[in-house]
Amino acid sequence: MNQSTQRIAITAGEPAGIGPDIVLELAAADWPAELVMVADPTLLQARAKMLGKTIDIVPFDPAKPAQPARQGRIVIAGEDLQAPCTPGTLSPDNAGYVLATLRRACAGCQSGEFAAMVTAPVHKGVINDAGFPFSGHTEFLAEQTGAPRPVMLLVAGTLRVALVTTHLALKDIPAAITRNSIEETFSLLHSGLQQRFGIQSPHIIVLGLNPHAGESGHLGSEEIETIEPALNALRAAGLNPIGPLPADTAFTPKHLAQADAVLAMYHDQGLPVLKSQGFGEAVNVTLGLPIIRTSVDHGTALDLAGTGTADSGSLKTALQLAIDMAARAAT
């Protein structure tokens, strides 16, 4: 790979959703990295025609030096659809194709072929309907890379929110929050902020699980029995967690002004706040992997597929963040 030009793999996601649409939007501008779309070329050609776009689609040749992406041109590492695709209509027959694109991009990152991967949205339900157990990109990529504990981090401008637990039912969350899970997640978030974002001494707020962070045990005991001991162990190891703080006050300007990230206990405790501030421009980053992976903050939007009205802002922000992270890793 040309040392001055990184190669970034981009998966087009669910073929019936807006993934192909927003991937095509990347060709509307030049980029400082070579963008390699991992998708079916006939799918992108058909969607470009539907959207009235004229784009030069060329096959990926890893033997050639990486070149910065140029407007109107798309490089594709081809994976074949397994069934015809109609925008807006899910087909379980294409679930294997979606997973194949993820495996291809991930393997390329592991081998050094790609410096990072950026993922368009997939549809978890149709993948599971096809018989593939799948709870999300985060868990799938952790399995592919052998990472024991991936950390989901959402970024919207200067606000960063990470999660101790990810895609779990609410009833299963208390049992999943252990001293070990908190300590490991915090440590990975801390090192991720250093390595991926260049923040040498991260300040991280940790939320409680219960309302008012348990109200001294009157509204739940998890803070006293699990969260506070975990934070004390982290402090003894030389780290400086802030908390546990009540979730309903931690996101106030006073607290956020002193924080580089917030560690929430579960998905819907932290992400609604972040998405309310930056939906459409936020980025999902997976920490704890041996590769760089960023993603959009939204779903497949089946009703918008093929209409030309999908917003590509989150994908463009995710791509720029991946390029920045890859450049930092290369120095």
Side-chain angles (χ1 to χ4, degrees):
M1 183 185 299
N2 186 331
Q3 290 186 347
S4 62
T5 303
Q6 304 281 11
R7 276 196 176 114
I8 310 295
I10 302 169
T11 59
E14 166 55 48
I18 62 170
D21 304 44
I22 60 177
V23 161
L24 288 167
E25 282 295 318
L26 297 178
D30 296 343
W31 292 89
E34 182 173 80
L35 313 184
V36 181
M37 314 299 175
V38 186
D40 187 312
T42 60
L43 168 68
L44 293 191
Q45 287 170 340
R47 195 65 60 89
K49 183 177 180 180
M50 181 178 295
L51 296 172
K53 298 180 181 296
T54 301
I55 295 175
D56 183 21
I57 296 178
V58 298
F60 172 52
D61 185 353
K64 292 183 178 179
Q67 299 294 328
R70 292 292 173 251
Q71 183 179 356
R73 184 174 183 268
I74 282 183
V75 178
I76 293 190
E79 292 288 341
D80 294 335
L81 283 173
Q82 297 170 349
C85 175
T86 301
T89 303
L90 294 170
S91 171
D93 291 338
N94 279 323
Y97 155 80
V98 173
L99 297 182
T101 65
L102 295 177
R103 292 190 190 97
R104 173 68 179 88
C106 183
C109 288
Q110 288 180 283
S111 69
E113 182 179 32
F114 304 127
M117 65 182 288
V118 181
T119 57
V122 299
H123 194 285
K124 301 181 186 71
V126 76
I127 295 174
N128 282 280
D129 288 344
F132 299 102
F134 185 86
S135 57
H137 279 109
T138 302
E139 297 84 357
F140 181 82
L141 294 174
E143 181 181 354
Q144 292 294 302
T145 59
R149 183 179 291 280
V151 175
M152 181 185 289
L153 173 70
L154 271 289
V155 180
T158 59
L159 179 58
R160 305 178 185 93
V161 178
L163 306 175
V164 175
T165 62
T166 53
H167 299 117
L168 289 178
L170 283 175
K171 65 182 178 60
D172 298 326
I173 288 169
I177 295 174
T178 64
R179 282 189 55 176
N180 185 60
S181 68
I182 294 169
E183 291 175 36
E184 287 188 356
T185 304
F186 184 96
S187 297
L188 288 168
L189 174 59
H190 187 275
S191 62
L193 291 172
Q194 292 177 318
Q195 297 167 10
R196 303 300 192 206
F197 292 87
I199 302 170
Q200 293 309 307
S201 300
H203 292 82
I204 301 170
I205 289 174
V206 180
L207 302 183
L209 173 64
N210 298 294
H212 301 175
E215 197 76 72
S216 300
H218 295 288
L219 295 177
S221 61
E222 285 85 0
E223 285 77 14
I224 294 172
E225 296 176 357
T226 304
I227 300 175
E228 290 177 2
L231 300 191
N232 288 333
L234 290 165
R235 294 182 184 109
L239 302 177
N240 186 31
I242 303 166
L245 298 184
D248 63 347
T249 58
F251 289 101
T252 58
K254 172 186 174 182
H255 289 299
L256 291 180
Q258 62 177 321
D260 297 300
V262 175
L263 180 59
M265 290 296 117
Y266 59 94
H267 189 283
D268 281 13
Q269 183 184 52
L271 298 196
V273 178
L274 181 135
K275 291 191 176 185
S276 72
Q277 295 191 22
F279 189 73
E281 298 293 336
V283 179
N284 185 345
V285 180
T286 307
L287 301 177
L289 302 179
I291 64 172
I292 295 171
R293 179 260 174 166
T294 67
S295 185
V296 297
D297 70 339
H298 56 75
T300 54
L302 296 170
D303 58 321
L304 302 181
T307 67
T309 60
D311 187 345
S312 60
S314 180
L315 182 64
K316 292 174 181 176
T317 306
L319 173 57
Q320 187 58 60
L321 184 56
I323 292 171
D324 294 343
M325 288 181 175
R328 186 174 292 111
T331 58

